[in-house]
Amino acid sequence: MASQCYAVGSKTLVWRRTQGLTLADETPILVLGIETTCDETAAAVIERGGDGQGRILSNIVRSQIEEHAPFGGVVPEIAARAHVDLLDGIVATAMKDAGVTFSQLAGVAAAAGPGLIGGVIVGLTTAKAIALVHDTPLLAVNHLEAHALTPRLTNALAFPYCLFLASGGHTQIVAVLGVGKYVRLGTTVDDALGEAFDKVAKMLGLPYPGGPQVERAAVQGDAARFNFPRPMLGRPDANFSLSGLKTAVRNEASRMTPLEPQDINDLCAGFQVAVLDSIADRLNVGLRLFTEQFGPPTALVAAGGVAANQAIRGALREVAGHARTELVIPPPALCTDNGAMIAWAGAERLALGLTDVLDAPPRARWRLDENIEVPANLANTRASF
Ligand code: KG4
Ligand code: ZN
């Protein structure tokens, strides 16, 4: 494979020209993946066989929850500094656990966004340095694409499928049609689902991260005590909105202050059941839009930290049953942010010859479907950002 030199500004970068490269079908490839877009510092090595089957050789995730917990949420500056401190060691451990050397890698992938820009720069720059030193292709992966492709690593799932991505930063329903082919069917017009859980937890005095705390409290609570609004119910588009519900919980909590433990449990139960109704309604619409446009999906796939919630998993089972489609939820460690999903997305792209140049930019915002022509009848189903 030929190497090439070219000038960018005052620097001369060396990169391998792999755009358009078709890897021999039977060749298994090894890819290192780096994730630093939020508060997890992670690295992993995966193998992708010529038959498209994946294998995780190592997967190291260091959560920064302890660093951020005193502030009740992720502090971008603390996150970026922690990534700087931790990443080199985590990459070294991932390589050692996998038992491979840099020279054996077919590529190095990093999440180039969307996310907190300081962290993204740390991960992407590290990947660029490895790519440069070891003359290996760089894969600047969209973090959302990595979530979207994970079920092909865990379940060898065929396209097209419907992804429900619900994390602290994202709430989206996405038609996954192929590698690099995504149509966003719905998104949140305000808060992300995980963010709403975290904010409700904070206003009720529960520690960060709030999702698991709210779920635990809700189990002890009476969901019928409050009748909170069900956002967006019955709307023909597949978008979400959480801020009205969050405000309703806040108003009720301030009206009742001081709160007894049972009040907190009941507020959490009332909030969670409203979320369940909203998710079911929005996904019913999303799956209908999917089928009208692309035919039946091979599965409904859930990813993101919120998919760890047992009550939400129950609602997803019902939605999938109603739509007569399979429900696929990757194991929790691969639903939440990790390096294996970045490595896998990189490997899927590399197998198609889709590599990136060494001046690939880090991106705070990066829509999954920005390069795809959205079918006209779906154009008004998406929020404006
Ligand atoms: O995917 P993730 O680990 O990180 C990113 O946000 O990228 O998701 C974390 C989010 C947090 O907002 C957290 O509160 C939420 O997922 N979460 C939950 C649960 N576990 C985590 N939300 C509801 N119920 C849970 N059991
Ligand atoms: Zn994520």
Side-chain angles (χ1 to χ4, degrees), residues 258-304:
L259 298 170
E260 298 295 328
Q262 192 56 45
D263 296 330
I264 293 174
N265 294 343
D266 294 346
L267 286 164
C268 288
F271 164 75
Q272 188 170 275
V273 82
V275 166
L276 296 182
D277 286 350
S278 183
I279 289 177
D281 180 66
R282 306 292 70 213
L283 277 175
N284 285 335
V285 175
L287 282 165
R288 200 181 63 233
L289 292 173
F290 187 115
T291 305
E292 281 168 12
Q293 197 62 44
F294 310 110
T298 55
L300 170 64
V301 176

Coordinates of all heavy atoms in Angstrom, one line a residue, residues 258-304:
P258 N -41.4 20.3 52.5 CA -40.3 19.3 52.5 C -40.8 17.9 52.1 O -41.9 17.5 52.5 CB -39.7 19.3 53.9 CG -40.9 19.7 54.7 CD -41.8 20.6 53.9
L259 N -39.9 17.2 51.3 CA -40.3 15.9 50.8 C -40.0 14.8 51.7 O -38.9 14.7 52.2 CB -39.6 15.7 49.4 CG -40.0 16.6 48.3 CD1 -39.0 16.4 47.1 CD2 -41.4 16.5 47.9
E260 N -40.9 13.9 52.0 CA -40.7 12.7 52.7 C -40.1 11.6 51.7 O -40.4 11.8 50.5 CB -42.0 12.1 53.3 CG -42.7 13.0 54.3 CD -41.8 13.2 55.5 OE1 -41.1 12.3 55.9 OE2 -41.9 14.3 56.1
P261 N -39.4 10.6 52.2 CA -38.9 9.6 51.3 C -40.0 9.0 50.4 O -39.7 8.8 49.2 CB -38.3 8.5 52.2 CG -37.9 9.3 53.4 CD -38.9 10.4 53.6
Q262 N -41.2 8.8 50.9 CA -42.2 8.2 50.1 C -42.7 9.2 49.0 O -43.0 8.7 47.9 CB -43.5 7.8 51.0 CG -44.5 6.9 50.2 CD -43.8 5.6 49.6 OE1 -43.0 4.9 50.3 NE2 -44.1 5.3 48.3
D263 N -42.6 10.5 49.3 CA -43.0 11.5 48.2 C -42.0 11.3 47.1 O -42.4 11.4 45.9 CB -42.9 12.9 48.8 CG -43.9 13.2 49.9 OD1 -45.0 12.5 49.8 OD2 -43.6 14.0 50.8
I264 N -40.7 11.2 47.4 CA -39.7 11.1 46.4 C -39.9 9.8 45.5 O -39.9 9.9 44.3 CB -38.3 11.1 47.0 CG1 -38.0 12.4 47.6 CG2 -37.2 10.7 46.0 CD1 -36.7 12.5 48.4
N265 N -40.2 8.7 46.2 CA -40.5 7.5 45.5 C -41.7 7.7 44.5 O -41.7 7.2 43.4 CB -40.8 6.3 46.4 CG -39.6 6.0 47.3 OD1 -38.4 6.3 46.9 ND2 -39.8 5.2 48.4
D266 N -42.8 8.3 45.0 CA -44.0 8.5 44.2 C -43.7 9.4 43.1 O -44.2 9.2 41.9 CB -45.1 9.0 45.1 CG -45.6 8.0 46.2 OD1 -45.2 6.8 46.1 OD2 -46.3 8.4 47.1
L267 N -43.0 10.5 43.3 CA -42.6 11.4 42.2 C -41.8 10.7 41.1 O -42.1 10.8 39.9 CB -41.8 12.6 42.7 CG -42.7 13.6 43.5 CD1 -41.8 14.6 44.3 CD2 -43.6 14.5 42.6
C268 N -40.9 9.8 41.5 CA -40.0 9.1 40.6 C -40.9 8.1 39.8 O -40.8 8.0 38.6 CB -38.9 8.3 41.3 SG -37.6 9.4 41.9
A269 N -41.8 7.4 40.5 CA -42.7 6.5 39.8 C -43.6 7.2 38.8 O -43.8 6.7 37.7 CB -43.5 5.7 40.9
G270 N -44.2 8.3 39.2 CA -45.0 9.1 38.3 C -44.3 9.6 37.1 O -44.8 9.5 36.0
F271 N -43.1 10.1 37.3 CA -42.2 10.5 36.2 C -41.9 9.4 35.3 O -42.1 9.5 34.0 CB -40.9 11.1 36.8 CG -39.8 11.3 35.7 CD1 -39.9 12.3 34.8 CD2 -38.7 10.4 35.7 CE1 -38.9 12.5 33.8 CE2 -37.7 10.6 34.8 CZ -37.8 11.6 33.8
Q272 N -41.5 8.2 35.8 CA -41.0 7.1 35.0 C -42.2 6.6 34.2 O -42.0 6.2 33.0 CB -40.4 6.0 35.8 CG -39.8 5.0 35.0 CD -38.9 4.0 35.8 OE1 -37.7 4.3 36.1 NE2 -39.5 2.9 36.2
V273 N -43.4 6.5 34.7 CA -44.5 5.9 34.0 C -44.9 6.8 32.8 O -45.3 6.4 31.8 CB -45.7 5.5 34.9 CG1 -46.6 6.7 35.3 CG2 -46.5 4.4 34.3
A274 N -44.8 8.1 33.1 CA -45.1 9.1 32.0 C -44.0 8.9 30.8 O -44.4 9.0 29.7 CB -45.1 10.5 32.5
V275 N -42.8 8.7 31.2 CA -41.7 8.5 30.2 C -42.0 7.2 29.4 O -41.9 7.2 28.2 CB -40.3 8.4 30.9 CG1 -39.3 7.8 30.0 CG2 -39.9 9.7 31.4
L276 N -42.5 6.1 30.2 CA -42.8 4.9 29.5 C -43.8 5.1 28.4 O -43.7 4.6 27.3 CB -43.2 3.8 30.5 CG -42.3 3.4 31.5 CD1 -42.9 2.3 32.4 CD2 -41.0 2.9 30.9
D277 N -44.9 5.8 28.8 CA -46.0 6.0 27.8 C -45.5 6.8 26.6 O -45.9 6.5 25.5 CB -47.2 6.8 28.5 CG -47.9 5.9 29.4 OD1 -47.7 4.7 29.4 OD2 -48.8 6.4 30.2
S278 N -44.7 7.8 26.9 CA -44.1 8.6 25.8 C -43.2 7.8 24.9 O -43.4 7.9 23.7 CB -43.4 9.8 26.4 OG -43.0 10.7 25.4
I279 N -42.3 7.0 25.5 CA -41.4 6.2 24.6 C -42.2 5.2 23.8 O -42.0 5.1 22.6 CB -40.5 5.4 25.5 CG1 -39.4 6.3 26.2 CG2 -39.8 4.3 24.7 CD1 -38.5 5.6 27.1
A280 N -43.2 4.6 24.4 CA -44.0 3.6 23.6 C -44.7 4.3 22.4 O -44.7 3.8 21.3 CB -45.0 2.9 24.5
D281 N -45.3 5.4 22.7 CA -46.1 6.1 21.7 C -45.1 6.6 20.5 O -45.4 6.5 19.4 CB -46.8 7.3 22.3 CG -47.6 8.1 21.3 OD1 -48.5 7.6 20.7 OD2 -47.2 9.3 21.0
R282 N -44.0 7.2 20.9 CA -43.0 7.7 19.9 C -42.4 6.6 19.1 O -42.2 6.8 17.9 CB -41.9 8.5 20.7 CG -42.3 9.6 21.6 CD -43.0 10.8 20.9 NE -44.3 10.6 20.4 CZ -44.7 11.1 19.3 NH1 -44.0 12.0 18.6 NH2 -46.0 10.9 18.9
L283 N -42.2 5.5 19.7 CA -41.6 4.3 19.0 C -42.6 3.7 18.1 O -42.3 3.2 17.0 CB -41.0 3.3 19.9 CG -39.6 3.6 20.4 CD1 -39.1 2.6 21.4 CD2 -38.6 3.7 19.2
N284 N -43.9 3.6 18.5 CA -44.9 3.1 17.6 C -45.0 3.9 16.3 O -45.0 3.4 15.2 CB -46.3 3.1 18.3 CG -46.5 2.0 19.3 OD1 -45.8 1.0 19.3 ND2 -47.3 2.2 20.3
V285 N -44.9 5.3 16.5 CA -44.9 6.1 15.3 C -43.6 5.9 14.5 O -43.7 5.8 13.3 CB -45.0 7.6 15.7 CG1 -44.9 8.5 14.5 CG2 -46.4 7.9 16.4
G286 N -42.5 5.9 15.2 CA -41.2 5.7 14.5 C -41.2 4.4 13.7 O -40.7 4.4 12.5
L287 N -41.7 3.3 14.3 CA -41.6 2.0 13.6 C -42.6 2.1 12.4 O -42.4 1.5 11.3 CB -42.0 0.9 14.5 CG -40.8 0.5 15.4 CD1 -41.3 -0.4 16.6 CD2 -39.8 -0.3 14.6
R288 N -43.7 2.8 12.5 CA -44.7 2.9 11.4 C -44.0 3.7 10.3 O -44.1 3.3 9.1 CB -46.0 3.6 11.9 CG -47.1 3.3 10.9 CD -48.4 3.9 11.3 NE -48.3 5.4 11.3 CZ -48.6 6.2 12.3 NH1 -49.0 5.7 13.4 NH2 -48.5 7.5 12.2
L289 N -43.4 4.8 10.6 CA -42.7 5.6 9.6 C -41.6 4.8 8.9 O -41.4 4.8 7.7 CB -42.0 6.8 10.2 CG -43.0 7.9 10.7 CD1 -42.2 9.0 11.4 CD2 -43.8 8.5 9.6
F290 N -40.9 4.0 9.7 CA -39.8 3.1 9.1 C -40.4 2.2 8.1 O -39.9 2.1 7.0 CB -39.2 2.3 10.3 CG -38.0 1.5 9.9 CD1 -36.7 1.8 10.4 CD2 -38.1 0.5 9.0 CE1 -35.6 1.1 10.0 CE2 -37.0 -0.3 8.6 CZ -35.7 0.0 9.1
T291 N -41.5 1.5 8.5 CA -42.0 0.4 7.6 C -42.6 1.0 6.4 O -42.4 0.5 5.3 CB -43.1 -0.4 8.4 OG1 -42.5 -0.9 9.6 CG2 -43.6 -1.6 7.6
E292 N -43.3 2.2 6.5 CA -43.8 2.8 5.3 C -42.7 3.2 4.3 O -42.9 3.0 3.1 CB -44.5 4.1 5.7 CG -45.9 3.9 6.3 CD -46.4 5.2 6.9 OE1 -45.9 6.3 6.7 OE2 -47.4 5.1 7.7
Q293 N -41.6 3.6 4.8 CA -40.5 4.1 3.9 C -39.6 3.0 3.5 O -39.2 3.0 2.3 CB -39.7 5.1 4.7 CG -38.9 6.0 3.8 CD -39.7 6.8 2.8 OE1 -40.8 7.3 3.1 NE2 -39.3 6.8 1.5
F294 N -39.3 2.1 4.4 CA -38.2 1.1 4.1 C -38.6 -0.3 4.2 O -37.8 -1.2 4.0 CB -37.0 1.3 5.0 CG -36.6 2.8 5.1 CD1 -36.8 3.5 6.3 CD2 -36.0 3.4 4.0 CE1 -36.4 4.9 6.4 CE2 -35.6 4.8 4.1 CZ -35.8 5.5 5.3
G295 N -39.9 -0.6 4.4 CA -40.3 -2.0 4.6 C -40.1 -2.4 6.1 O -39.5 -1.6 6.9
P296 N -40.4 -3.6 6.5 CA -40.3 -4.0 7.9 C -38.8 -4.1 8.3 O -38.0 -4.6 7.5 CB -40.9 -5.4 8.0 CG -41.1 -5.8 6.6 CD -41.0 -4.7 5.7
P297 N -38.5 -3.6 9.5 CA -37.1 -3.7 10.0 C -36.8 -5.1 10.4 O -37.7 -5.9 10.8 CB -37.1 -2.7 11.2 CG -38.5 -2.7 11.7 CD -39.4 -2.9 10.5
T298 N -35.5 -5.5 10.4 CA -35.1 -6.8 10.9 C -35.2 -6.9 12.4 O -35.3 -7.9 13.0 CB -33.6 -7.1 10.5 OG1 -32.8 -6.1 11.0 CG2 -33.5 -7.3 9.0
A299 N -35.2 -5.7 13.1 CA -35.3 -5.7 14.5 C -35.5 -4.2 15.0 O -35.2 -3.3 14.3 CB -34.0 -6.2 15.2
L300 N -36.0 -4.1 16.3 CA -35.9 -2.9 17.0 C -34.7 -3.0 17.9 O -34.6 -4.0 18.7 CB -37.1 -2.6 17.8 CG -37.1 -1.5 18.8 CD1 -36.9 -0.1 18.1 CD2 -38.4 -1.4 19.7
V301 N -33.7 -2.1 17.9 CA -32.5 -2.2 18.7 C -32.5 -1.0 19.7 O -32.7 0.1 19.3 CB -31.3 -2.1 17.8 CG1 -30.0 -2.1 18.6 CG2 -31.2 -3.2 16.8
A302 N -32.2 -1.3 20.9 CA -32.0 -0.2 21.9 C -30.6 -0.1 22.3 O -29.9 -1.1 22.5 CB -32.9 -0.5 23.1
A303 N -30.1 1.1 22.5 CA -28.7 1.4 22.9 C -28.7 2.7 23.8 O -29.7 3.4 23.8 CB -27.8 1.5 21.8
G304 N -27.6 2.9 24.5 CA -27.5 4.0 25.4 C -27.8 3.6 26.8 O -28.5 2.6 27.1

